Amino acid sequence: MVGVKRLAVLGATGSVGRSTLAVAARHPSRFEVAAVSAGRSVAALEEVAAECRARHVAVARADALEGRPELRAAGWRSGPGAAETLAGLPDVDVVVNAIVGAAGLRPTLAALEAGKRCALANKESLVSAGDFVLDAARRGGGELIPVDSEHSAIFQCIGGARPADVRRVILTASGGPFRQTPPAALARATAAQALQHPTWRMGAKITIDSATLANKALEVIEAHYLYGLPYDRIDVVVHPTSIVHSFVEFVDGSVLAQLSEPSMELPILHALAWPERLDDPVLRTFDPVRAGPLDFEPVDAERFPLFGLGVEAGRAGGAAPAVFNAANEVAVQAFLAAKVSFGGMADMVSSALDALAGRVAGSVEAVLEADRAARRLAAETLVDAPRAAAG
Ligand code: NDP
């Protein structure tokens, strides 16, 4: 008899969070949602919590429960540490971290330190503080299972192979909505255009990151930590239809890939069920004919400078990845608010890296301080040299 896994879904009101709740609801004999959290959307969280009958509910914004004494009376938590508390609760077995941004770091650490499975969508945790995340898993006995589709693909392809058997991994990238946009038009691209992703429906931040290819740089860093691979053994190839989710090449030249129609529900289900696989009524049977020809092309790093900046930050190590990530978060919000142009985002991130990448990151607190410094600096860049986004 297999037990029911009790889930904490952090970021439950978002894209990955809602997909997780949908997957869990289809397998009630295997998963129960014990806890849910959100950033600030109290009304959406109330709906979600009622639907999945979660026992524990938390919202990150400190004043979110003002004027709602009945929620506090019902045991709701609030404040920046609330998601972290849910991640460590004794009646939670699996923490699905679907929070967006570096705000997800503390909950990732808490889950791993408490010896739980962390099904990680929040790549920013690993990017900002990879060494400390791995250390938390070692100390607490927790396990890190990727939810990002590319890393789930690599996880599935590597299977039980020894690390020494892997020559390299090749992450696939859709190329985003601007894959074929001429450079002049790219500089004037608007948020509305950038939010039209060709193959995935996701939250706004990762959708913009996919348009700039910053997301692929974050994923290269994520792969470096998850699979212990040096950067020269992590490649990226553009694959516009997002059918092949990544490749693993072994030392004998054999290459394995994982394929499916693009749906986050599959890597989520995999991360929850592993090492088992569950039959799912909704995930479609793969049809190679319908999937069509599988095309691949190189990344045009010149047109997408955030890709190169991010990978370089990963290679530099120390505080550089945290600085890259934090400045990028500020740049994305500024772009969404039409305060910076598409091309201006890379300038903001580059300035922050120039000023702060050399900082040491000897503790989680030092990483968070570098993160805060990068946010301050990026925000100042914005005030000093506002660049109007083309409308
Ligand atoms: P969304 O923006 O759709 O959802 C983000 C979630 O995080 C919401 O529940 C939001 O709450 C919550 N949140 C926001 N800020 C905070 C905060 N400061 N503290 C706690 N919770 C917060 O994002 P996605 O679901 O698209 O992405 C989530 C993560 O998964 C990201 O790291 C992304 O890179 C990764 N990912 C996403 C994929 C996708 O298909 N969407 C694919 C692969 C990875 P509220 O609603 O209140 O704002």
Side-chain angles (χ1 to χ4, degrees), residues 9-19 37-42 44-45 58-61 79-80 83 97-104 107 120-125 147-151 200-207 209-210 215 218-219 222 263-264 267-268:
V9 183
L10 310 181
T13 52
S15 166
V16 173
R18 286 180 187 273
S19 296
S37 86
R40 53 169 58 209
S41 320
V42 172
L45 188 59
V59 58
R61 198 175 150 142
N97 190 343
I99 292 172
V100 63
L120 189 71
N122 179 257
K123 61 191 88 184
E124 296 92 339
S125 298
V147 166
D148 225 350
S149 57
E150 295 79 358
H151 303 76
W200 298 99
R201 293 286 155 263
M202 311 179 284
K205 195 261 177 178
I206 186 175
T207 306
D209 283 349
S210 300
N215 181 52
L218 297 174
E219 289 182 5
E222 185 183 9
S263 164
M264 282 307 294
I268 290 167

Side-chain angles (χ1 to χ4, degrees), residues 47-134:
E47 268 175 42
V48 158
E51 211 167 292
C52 64
R53 301 205 190 97
R55 292 185 289 281
H56 309 283
V57 186
V59 58
R61 198 175 150 142
D63 63 0
L65 300 184
E66 271 176 21
R68 302 296 307 271
E70 78 283 12
L71 295 180
R72 222 175 253 298
W76 278 45
R77 296 168 166 88
S78 66
E84 194 180 331
T85 305
L86 296 196
L89 288 173
D91 61 343
V92 164
D93 305 306
V94 179
V95 175
V96 180
N97 190 343
I99 292 172
V100 63
L105 174 58
R106 292 262 191 216
T108 296
L109 295 171
L112 295 171
E113 275 162 8
K116 301 184 192 299
R117 170 175 300 188
C118 180
L120 189 71
N122 179 257
K123 61 191 88 184
E124 296 92 339
S125 298
L126 267 178
V127 169
S128 300
D131 286 330
F132 300 104
V133 170
L134 298 182

